[in-house]
Amino acid sequence: MAGLNVSLCFFLATFALCQAVRRAAKALLPGGTYAHFAREAMRMLVELGPWALGFGPDLLLTLVFLLLLVHGATLDGASANPTVSLQRFLLAEASLPSTLLELVAQALGVQAAGALTRLYWAWGLSDLHVLQSLMDPHCSSALRTAAPHGALLEGSCAFLLHLALLRLQGSRAVHRAPAVALLLTAAAGTAGPLTSAFLNPTLAASVTFRCSGHSLLEYIQVYWLGPVTGMLLAVLLYHGRLPRLFQRNLLYSQKSKYRVPRGRPVPGPGGSQTPKEGSRGRGPPVGGQPLSSSH
C-alpha cells in the first residue's frame, strides 16, 4: 500500500500543479495561445500517469477511471489527443493554424510528462518505483499481438470513442465526463492486455515506440493509422460526410420535408381557379345573368 499512497500523492500533486499552471497561463497568455497550446500541454502532463504506475489491472483500471473522470470535468476544453484535434479540424470547428498549435503542444506536453515521470521514479519513493526506474531503459513493447490485429483493436476502440464524443457534443460536463471515462476504462480493460488501449498517437509514441519487440512501421500502423482511421469512420458515419472536405452528404440522402401536391390546379390570385378553355375571353357574370353580346 505504500507504493499506492505515494502514487496517489504524486497524482494529486501533479493535478494541483497543472491546475495552478493552467490558471496562470489563462490569466497571463493571450486567449488564442492559451486555448490551443497551454491547456493541451497541461493536459498531457497528467495523461501519462496510468501507464507509469505498474499496478495490477483491477487497481489500475480503477485509477484510470478516477483520473479520467477528474480531468474530464476540469480539462477546460483540452483533449491531449491528436485524433480529437484532427476531428475538430475535419468538422470545421478549428482552423489549420490552431490545429497545428494544438499538435505541437501535445507533443511538448507528453515529453514533459515523460521527463516528470522518470524524475519521480528516480526519487525511489517506493520499491516499485525503483524497479520502474531500473527497467525504463530496457522497456518492453506494449503491443502484444500481431500488428494488423492491434490496428483493428485500436481503430475499433477509437471509433467508439469518437462516436461517443460526437454524440455527447454540447452536453453538460456532469454527463459527458462519466460516460467518456467509463468508455475509456472499458477499452483499457478489453484491448489493454493486447495493445494497452492508448487510443492516442502522441501518448503511444512517447511510451512504447522506443521499446524493442516491433518495428517502427508496425507501431505506426497500430497506434497512428488505427486511431486516425477509427476517427474518420466515426465522423463519416455520424455526419455522412467530412465537413472540411465535402459539402455533399456521402452516405445519407437528404429529402425535402415539404411535399408538393400533384395533379391539382394551382389557385390563382384571390383563390380563383384557372378558367376552363371554353370560358376564356368572357367576363364575369353580373347579377347571376350572362353578359349580353355587344351591339
Side-chain angles (χ1 to χ4, degrees):
M1 293 299 294
L4 175 61
N5 294 333
V6 170
S7 295
L8 289 178
C9 291
F10 175 73
F11 274 153
L12 293 176
T14 304
F15 174 74
L17 174 64
C18 291
Q19 288 294 96
V21 175
R22 181 181 296 155
R23 291 179 180 273
K26 192 172 185 179
L28 299 176
L29 295 178
T33 304
Y34 168 76
H36 301 295
F37 185 85
R39 70 183 184 187
E40 292 291 340
M42 291 302 102
R43 177 69 193 272
M44 285 306 303
L45 284 176
V46 297
E47 192 76 10
L48 194 63
W51 290 270
L53 287 176
F55 292 122
D58 51 348
L59 182 57
L60 180 59
L61 289 177
T62 303
L63 293 176
V64 167
F65 176 76
L66 293 177
L67 181 67
L68 293 171
L69 184 62
V70 170
H71 287 281
T74 61
L75 53 85
D76 198 18
S79 64
N81 192 329
T83 59
V84 177
S85 299
L86 292 176
Q87 175 182 296
R88 293 172 182 165
F89 174 74
L90 290 176
L91 293 177
E93 296 176 354
S95 63
L96 180 60
S98 64
T99 301
L100 294 177
L101 194 60
E102 285 187 7
L103 296 179
V104 171
Q106 290 161 2
L108 295 178
V110 79
Q111 294 300 321
L116 180 63
T117 300
R118 293 182 183 91
L119 177 62
Y120 158 64
W121 284 342
W123 291 344
L125 299 179
S126 68
D127 295 338
L128 175 62
H129 302 142
V130 173
L131 181 62
Q132 291 279 19
S133 181
L134 293 175
M135 293 176 58
D136 181 58
H138 313 285
C139 62
S140 58
S141 174
L143 180 59
R144 292 175 287 274
T145 186
H149 186 208
L152 179 62
L153 289 174
E154 288 284 313
S156 301
C157 292
F159 170 78
L160 295 176
L161 169 63
H162 287 274
L163 203 60
L165 292 176
L166 290 168
R167 181 64 182 85
L168 296 171
Q169 192 174 24
S171 61
R172 300 174 59 185
V174 68
H175 301 141
R176 182 178 62 254
V180 174
L182 185 61
L183 178 61
L184 289 174
T185 304
T190 54
L194 298 177
T195 65
S196 290
F198 289 112
L199 314 184
N200 187 324
T202 302
L203 182 62
S206 174
V207 173
T208 198
F209 273 32
R210 60 190 178 86
C211 300
S212 60
H214 293 275
S215 65
L216 179 61
L217 185 60
E218 289 176 321
Y219 283 137
I220 292 176
Q221 177 183 351
V222 174
Y223 295 112
W224 285 10
L225 294 182
V228 170
T229 303
M231 178 270 295
L232 291 174
L233 292 177
V235 174
L236 192 60
L237 179 65
Y238 191 82
H239 288 282
R241 63 191 178 97
L242 302 177
R244 177 70 68 174
L245 304 178
F246 305 102
Q247 295 297 326
R248 185 173 63 89
N249 199 302
L250 302 177
L251 296 183
Y252 312 117
S253 60
Q254 296 178 336
K255 297 182 179 180
S256 175
K257 60 182 179 180
Y258 301 105
R259 298 182 60 185
V260 179
R262 297 180 181 179
R264 296 181 181 178
V266 180
S272 61
Q273 300 282 342
T274 304
K276 297 181 180 180
E277 184 176 358
S279 62
R280 291 179 182 174
R282 300 180 181 178
V286 179
Q289 299 295 328
L291 293 175
S292 59
S293 58
S294 61
H295 296 287

